[in-house]
Amino acid sequence: MLDSATYNTMTNNRPLRVLILARVSHDSSGVGRSVNEQVDAGKEWVKREGWELKKVIRETGSASRYSTRRQRAEWNEALAWIESGEIDALLTWENSRATRDLSGYTELRQACAKNKVKWGYGGTLYDLTQRSDRFRTGLDALLAEDEADRTSERVKRAHSANARAGRPHGKAIFGYRRIYDSQTKALLRVELDPAEAALIREAAQRYLDGETLYSIAQDWNDRGIPARRPQRKHHRGGWAWRGETLKQMLEMPAYAGLRQYRGEIIGEAMWDAIIQPEAWHKLQALLHAPERKRADVWKIRYLLTGVARCGYDGCVGNVRVSRNSSKTAAGLTHYQNYICEYGPHCSMNMKFLDAIVTEHILERMSRPDFLESLHHVEDDQSDQRRDLMRTIAEHRAWLDSVRERAAQERNLELLFDQERRVKPLIDEATKKLNRLSTVSPHVTTLAQAPDVREAWEGLAITSKREIVRSLLEVQMFPAPRRGAKGIGQAIERTKITWKHTL
């Protein structure tokens, strides 16, 4: 440790050139008073010692291990000044104002020692080329990191406890409003916003009825419905609502009155559901169904590409389109085949396979009992969905009771043991719930048409593909011999399996 007189002697009486780094983790007021107080204290130190102030850097943000160099632009600027040779000392309010991470301390110590820059805080100037000063600053850095870790653990415990109590976290959710105590500012309750909740229900029902998220978003924009939050991305063309925004919202367990923590639904929330849990789970099955995956709609031109599968032994590939030509008496004839995406395992004329699959669907959907069979499937799925949801709720209730008992008996081993046993059961039931398929709304709409065949012809290719995917599994197999042609051999080489008992 050095006093100013000793240091001035070492630098041939040249005034010490100083950089002040002031940092505060959060500045919610926007005033930055704590940072300004640190700067004022640093300037007072510089004035008292007769040093030369070269630069002041103000930083708002975390300096713990949970931050990154990219996030700490001001920290990087301070290191650049140390490396530049234009300063003789770095001043901070205290050790932790520079960094709360040992790796950050090591980086600073090495930079200061290499460039003969002192580090001052708490009224003391440290020479990091000296063993004793490295020990003292290192000890302070270790204590600063430990305090940051303790704070992080406290915050995580609080978040976990709030989540298990069903309390909200983060920004208010569209459709709800939070009511706070006017004096203490404590959260009293979360209640529905009638107008916004009605919009959520509308979006959910319209999607369940077969509308696309894009069309719903476009309608909301046309109606002038305000965005859930102020827009910050100008490239969106002024659109308040987009399809991906609605998808993100409808995926939220909060709308089913469920509390999520770290990606896992852990129980009921303290607020009422806007969408009933059973309807919400049905919504998830639709949102994440393979036929609903986002695609470049303007590029989709074929009925069965990526839908039908290769039936060659051991192959798991889907089919794609291959363009071909052949010489006939009339000249060169062009045609298209479906072939395996992984190799020349099998090939079939595209018109043949499209016709076989289409007729399979339309013949069954034209029967008078199809709608009744469809309703039986949906009722059966609803029963399965309710049973799985009840199972998950029972497992969670059991874990909650174990937590209370473990807290009373101070027996964490009891809790850990039951979590190891019960959580896999919850995960398995949740997977089954997510895998429970839902018949596409387009199927119901088509089945209710007066003339199913005529209605099919009027559908977009994307709707036709969704119907096929929702109802059938299609496989095509290699030809038994070379030169096998005609729709008859195509029928023999095609296997169609109904996904539901219809």
Side-chain angles (χ1 to χ4, degrees):
M1 291 178 284
L2 302 172
D3 57 28
S4 58
T6 303
Y7 190 76
N8 284 337
T9 301
M10 293 172 59
T11 54
N12 298 320
N13 294 319
R14 174 172 54 81
L16 201 67
R17 299 168 301 172
V18 172
L19 164 69
I20 294 176
L21 172 62
R23 184 190 64 81
V24 65
S25 297
H26 301 286
D27 180 19
S28 57
S29 67
V31 177
R33 182 178 179 182
S34 177
V35 169
N36 291 335
E37 287 177 347
Q38 293 175 43
V39 171
D40 290 343
K43 287 182 176 179
E44 189 66 32
W45 191 2
V46 170
K47 181 179 178 181
R48 184 172 63 249
E49 300 293 347
W51 295 334
E52 177 187 355
L53 180 61
K54 297 290 291 185
K55 176 72 175 178
V56 174
I57 298 177
R58 293 175 169 85
E59 180 182 12
T60 300
S62 173
S64 71
R65 70 178 68 184
Y66 309 105
S67 65
T68 66
R69 281 185 60 104
R70 185 176 181 181
Q71 292 171 335
R72 295 195 65 191
E74 295 83 0
W75 170 253
N76 297 335
E77 183 183 0
L79 290 176
W81 270 91
I82 293 171
E83 297 280 356
S84 71
E86 297 181 21
I87 62 170
D88 302 308
L90 167 70
L91 302 186
T92 60
W93 174 261
E94 58 185 19
N95 184 293
S96 64
R97 293 306 89 192
T99 179
R100 286 182 177 269
D101 177 19
L102 282 180
S103 63
Y105 164 75
T106 301
E107 184 179 30
L108 176 62
R109 189 187 78 179
Q110 291 174 345
C112 288
K114 175 183 174 183
N115 296 280
K116 296 181 173 57
V117 173
K118 313 308 179 202
W119 181 15
Y121 60 85
T124 302
L125 204 61
Y126 296 95
D127 181 355
L128 297 181
T129 64
Q130 301 296 314
R131 180 197 58 79
S132 59
D133 286 5
R134 289 197 301 270
F135 175 80
R136 178 51 196 258
T137 56
L139 181 60
D140 288 343
L142 182 64
L143 293 172
E145 183 182 75
D146 181 66
E147 179 56 33
D149 288 345
R150 287 173 181 268
T151 301
S152 175
E153 289 173 2
R154 286 195 295 268
V155 170
K156 288 178 180 177
R157 283 197 299 269
H159 287 174
S160 177
N162 284 335
R164 298 194 182 283
R167 295 174 65 81
H169 176 70
K171 297 178 181 178
I173 303 170
F174 184 86
Y176 294 96
R177 56 192 177 203
R178 298 177 185 175
I179 307 301
Y180 295 92
D181 186 282
S182 59
Q183 300 297 323
T184 66
K185 306 302 180 183
L187 178 68
L188 300 177
R189 63 187 180 277
V190 180
E191 58 185 34
L192 270 62
D193 182 298
E196 293 179 355
L199 287 170
I200 296 297
R201 293 192 190 98
E202 175 193 328
Q205 190 57 55
R206 289 173 67 175
Y207 189 73
L208 287 171
D209 290 341
E211 284 195 56
T212 64
L213 295 172
Y214 171 81
S215 66
I216 299 169
Q218 191 174 41
D219 175 52
W220 284 14
N221 289 323
D222 291 341
R223 286 157 55 185
I225 295 173
R228 58 175 177 165
R229 295 192 187 99
Q231 286 184 266
R232 291 174 180 163
K233 296 184 178 180
H234 302 293
H235 69 271
R236 292 185 172 181
W239 283 20
W241 295 97
R242 300 176 69 85
E244 55 263 38
T245 305
L246 291 179
K247 182 175 186 290
Q248 181 190 55
M249 291 169 62
L250 293 178
E251 287 175 332
M252 295 173 65
Y255 288 127
L258 301 172
R259 184 62 165 89
Q260 187 179 36
Y261 181 63
R262 294 187 174 182
E264 176 188 355
I265 297 174
I266 59 172
E268 294 185 356
M270 67 180 292
W271 54 86
D272 294 332
I274 292 177
I275 307 170
Q276 290 305 307
E278 184 178 348
W280 182 81
H281 282 292
K282 186 176 181 181
L283 201 60
Q284 304 318 298
L286 274 179
L287 286 167
H288 299 287
E291 58 268 22
R292 293 287 180 125
K293 287 184 179 178
R294 181 174 179 176
D296 294 331
V297 175
W298 54 89
K299 294 181 181 179
I300 294 177
R301 290 180 287 175
Y302 308 111
L303 182 64
L304 299 174
T305 50
V307 177
R309 294 186 296 112
C310 174
Y312 183 77
D313 186 31
C315 182
V316 294
N318 292 322
V319 303
R320 64 180 179 86
V321 169
S322 170
R323 294 172 177 81
N324 303 278
S325 60
S326 63
K327 291 183 179 180
T328 64
L332 199 62
T333 301
H334 299 279
Y335 61 95
Q336 293 171 314
N337 282 351
Y338 286 122
I339 65 171
C340 176
E341 63 179 332
Y342 291 143
H345 300 154
C346 53
S347 174
M348 187 178 295
N349 186 288
M350 186 176 71
K351 291 182 179 179
F352 289 166
L353 190 57
D354 284 355
I356 294 167
V357 171
T358 300
E359 182 59 29
H360 215 81
I361 289 175
L362 298 183
E363 190 278 329
R364 182 66 188 92
M365 292 186 70
S366 298
R367 295 182 195 175
D369 65 339
F370 180 81
L371 271 176
E372 184 180 353
S373 300
L374 186 62
H375 292 152
H376 286 320
V377 169
E378 292 176 338
D379 290 343
D380 181 58
Q381 288 181 341
S382 294
D383 291 341
Q384 293 180 53
R385 194 172 285 109
R386 278 193 292 269
D387 288 344
L388 287 168
M389 290 170 60
R390 183 165 52 250
T391 299
I392 293 170
E394 289 172 353
H395 287 324
R396 287 180 180 145
W398 168 251
L399 281 183
D400 287 340
S401 67
V402 171
R403 287 190 187 95
E404 292 179 5
R405 179 180 167 188
Q408 292 171 358
E409 299 178 1
R410 298 182 181 273
N411 186 356
L412 289 178
E413 283 302 320
L414 171 64
L415 175 60
F416 296 153
D417 175 71
Q418 289 302 302
E419 284 185 338
R420 282 194 297 268
R421 295 170 185 267
V422 177
K423 277 194 171 183
L425 300 178
I426 295 176
D427 293 341
E428 182 60 30
T430 302
K431 288 177 182 177
K432 288 181 180 179
L433 187 62
N434 293 336
R435 285 197 301 264
L436 197 61
S437 61
T438 300
V439 177
S440 167
H442 290 294
V443 175
T444 306
T445 302
L446 179 61
Q448 291 172 338
D451 188 326
V452 172
R453 294 180 180 274
E454 182 179 344
W456 172 268
E457 294 302 323
L459 291 176
I461 188 66
T462 51
S463 299
K464 292 179 179 179
R465 286 168 58 88
E466 186 173 323
I467 291 172
V468 174
R469 246 180 169 145
S470 181
L471 295 179
L472 304 179
E473 290 182 357
V474 181
Q475 284 182 288
M476 68 176 194
F477 291 83
R481 63 187 185 280
R482 292 180 61 86
K485 297 181 180 180
I487 194 167
Q489 60 81 29
I491 293 174
E492 293 176 359
R493 295 196 290 120
T494 302
K495 179 181 178 181
I496 296 177
T497 306
W498 287 89
K499 292 184 177 180
H500 311 281
T501 305
L502 295 168

